[in-house]
Amino acid sequence: MKNWMEKAFGTVGFLAQGGLYERLITACAEAGVPLHGLRPAAGGFTAWVPLRYYRRLYPMARRYHVRLRAQKKAGLCFWLRRYRGRWGLVLGPAVFLLVAALLQNLVWSIRFVGLNEEQQAAVGRVLYSMGISEGTAVTQQLLGAAGQAVMSGQDGLGWVSLNFIKGRLVVEGAPAIPAPAIEPNDPVDLVAAADATLLWLKVQEGYAVRQAGQTVAEGEVLVSAVKEDRDQNPIQSHARAAVWARLEKSYECAQPLEFTASFPTGRLGECCRLRAAGRQLTLWDTTGEFSGQTRTTHAPLTVFGFALPVTVESTLLAECQPQTVRLSSRAAREFARYACQSALYAEFPDAELLTVSEQERWENGCLVLRQTVLFEADIARPKGG
């Protein structure tokens, strides 16, 4: 503690030469003047003494005809004297700390805990729409409303908590635990989705009324949910089965050689704004020159990696204009083929293709492709579903 006080109030390193310098050391000990770091020197010695005792050495040194010369100075007072006339170097950090303390009600940073990147982006958009971002002042009422908006807009979240502590907004949450799927227990028959030849049946519940190798028509019952016992009393169950069959279907799709679509022209407009304390400042804006698709992003303003309570809102606008697209016959054929395949898998997601035959014709500059597909798939569908 004593060393720290001496460093704070200052110490002086001096050189004492000539005269009776040995008597000077003895006189300092008798007078209570603390000397430390004594080192012999040519014709004298060097030592350190606290600043408040340094002036008392002069009359004692004159008494013993010793010359004193200060060599080094250390301590807070000497450091402040070095910056005398440049108080801004000291007042600047002090003012900054004072302003930082006064701006604790503003959001300096937003931290997410327990959420993945997709959920963080979604929650960030909701908070931004509620006016919560870096540089805005928040209240408990606003945080409560924002929490309710996040929960109502995000189905994948189990819970969300918004905690604001000294400039930091911590958004904690956890994904929702999916509820177990409850299958309906209604006695509904399974019918054929199309005309087909049955390959095999795997009945888990219900009563099979068709067998492998039989041909069925669309809408015909494959697995019944009701069966009568010996006494002609109906026994109900929930029909559930996989009925794999081979079938053939045709899909027809049209693809014009020319169509109009919107494409970017390459011209970009940008708007940059600073938002803080409920106010905004536009730095530049070139989005008013044309119209198109816009994309807005926001991020905290950082200086050398240090986040300030200011939000930088950047809006990027890409100009788009309608253009006529002309396809070759080969490209049109590929588009039409893709549309037919999409229709097939939309109706039978688990289809396994066996053979595919195509017929095409041209009508008024439009390619009409008819695709006949032989495939195997599960054709069991709930009746009326």
Side-chain angles (χ1 to χ4, degrees):
M1 184 66 180
K2 183 178 179 180
N3 293 336
W4 282 104
M5 291 182 62
E6 290 181 355
K7 290 181 180 180
F9 290 103
T11 57
V12 179
F14 64 92
L15 171 65
Q17 288 180 320
L20 302 175
Y21 61 87
E22 298 91 347
R23 298 288 302 275
L24 176 61
I25 297 176
T26 304
C28 289
E30 294 176 351
V33 177
L35 299 179
H36 56 87
L38 282 167
R39 295 287 187 276
F45 66 91
T46 60
W48 286 86
V49 65
L51 178 62
R52 61 183 181 275
Y53 293 104
Y54 184 68
R55 292 186 179 277
R56 295 174 55 182
L57 287 176
Y58 281 98
M60 299 170 63
R62 284 196 299 268
R63 184 186 311 167
Y64 298 107
H65 308 286
V66 178
R67 298 186 303 274
L68 296 181
R69 184 173 61 183
Q71 291 183 320
K72 295 182 180 180
K73 300 177 182 179
L76 181 61
C77 60
F78 295 111
W79 182 81
L80 292 176
R81 183 179 299 177
R82 184 185 310 170
Y83 293 98
R84 182 173 55 184
R86 293 185 292 175
W87 293 105
L89 297 176
V90 180
L91 295 179
V95 172
F96 175 78
L97 294 177
L98 178 62
V99 172
L102 295 177
L103 296 181
Q104 291 184 359
N105 291 331
L106 297 182
V107 178
W108 285 70
S109 64
I110 300 177
R111 180 182 178 186
F112 296 92
V113 178
L115 304 177
N116 56 35
E117 293 183 0
E118 183 179 355
Q119 292 172 340
Q120 292 179 16
V123 173
R125 288 192 293 269
V126 176
L127 295 179
Y128 194 72
S129 65
M130 297 287 293
I132 299 178
S133 60
E134 290 81 358
T136 58
V138 296
T139 60
Q140 291 299 326
Q141 293 78 5
L142 180 59
L143 292 178
Q148 296 178 0
V150 170
M151 288 300 300
S152 62
Q154 303 296 322
D155 297 333
L157 295 179
W159 62 272
V160 171
S161 175
L162 278 68
N163 302 311
F164 181 70
I165 303 174
K166 294 183 178 180
R168 172 180 291 182
L169 177 61
V170 181
V171 182
E172 298 182 79
I177 300 176
I182 301 177
E183 296 184 0
N185 200 28
D186 300 333
V188 179
D189 298 336
L190 295 180
V191 298
D195 301 344
T197 301
L198 302 183
L199 298 177
W200 51 265
L201 292 84
K202 183 178 180 181
V203 181
Q204 298 175 343
E205 296 182 35
Y207 310 97
V209 297
R210 291 292 183 268
Q211 298 179 359
Q214 292 181 338
T215 301
V216 296
E218 182 179 355
E220 190 173 348
V221 177
L222 302 175
V223 180
S224 176
V226 181
K227 182 179 180 181
E228 295 181 351
D229 60 7
R230 296 179 180 179
D231 299 329
Q232 304 299 317
N233 296 321
I235 301 176
Q236 297 181 347
S237 67
H238 174 64
R240 185 171 59 177
V243 181
W244 205 259
R246 179 173 297 173
L247 62 157
E248 184 179 80
K249 292 204 69 174
S250 297
Y251 298 90
E252 189 173 278
C253 300
Q255 176 61 50
L257 291 180
E258 292 186 3
F259 61 92
T260 303
S262 181
F263 290 93
T265 62
R267 295 181 59 192
L268 296 177
E270 187 178 5
C271 177
C272 184
R273 295 188 178 92
L274 299 180
R275 298 180 57 179
R279 299 178 180 275
Q280 64 179 14
L281 173 64
T282 301
L283 300 181
W284 63 83
D285 187 1
T286 59
T287 59
E289 301 177 0
F290 49 86
S291 61
Q293 299 178 355
T294 61
R295 180 183 178 184
T296 301
T297 58
H298 61 277
L301 178 64
T302 58
V303 178
F304 300 109
F306 182 77
L308 300 178
V310 180
T311 297
V312 181
E313 180 184 278
S314 179
T315 301
L316 188 64
L317 185 145
E319 183 185 30
C320 295
Q321 290 183 353
Q323 297 181 12
T324 301
V325 180
R326 294 176 175 82
L327 300 177
S328 62
S329 57
R330 180 178 178 180
R333 189 175 297 107
E334 292 296 330
F335 275 101
R337 185 177 293 118
Y338 176 78
C340 292
Q341 295 289 320
S342 299
L344 167 65
Y345 286 108
E347 189 175 3
F348 299 95
D350 52 0
E352 296 181 0
L353 303 184
L354 299 178
T355 61
V356 180
S357 60
E358 297 178 351
Q359 295 179 352
E360 64 179 52
R361 65 180 187 274
W362 294 89
E363 296 180 356
N364 299 325
C366 181
L367 172 64
V368 180
L369 180 69
R370 182 178 182 84
Q371 197 174 74
T372 302
V373 186
L374 179 64
F375 61 97
E376 295 178 359
D378 184 5
I379 64 169
R381 302 290 187 273
K383 185 177 181 179

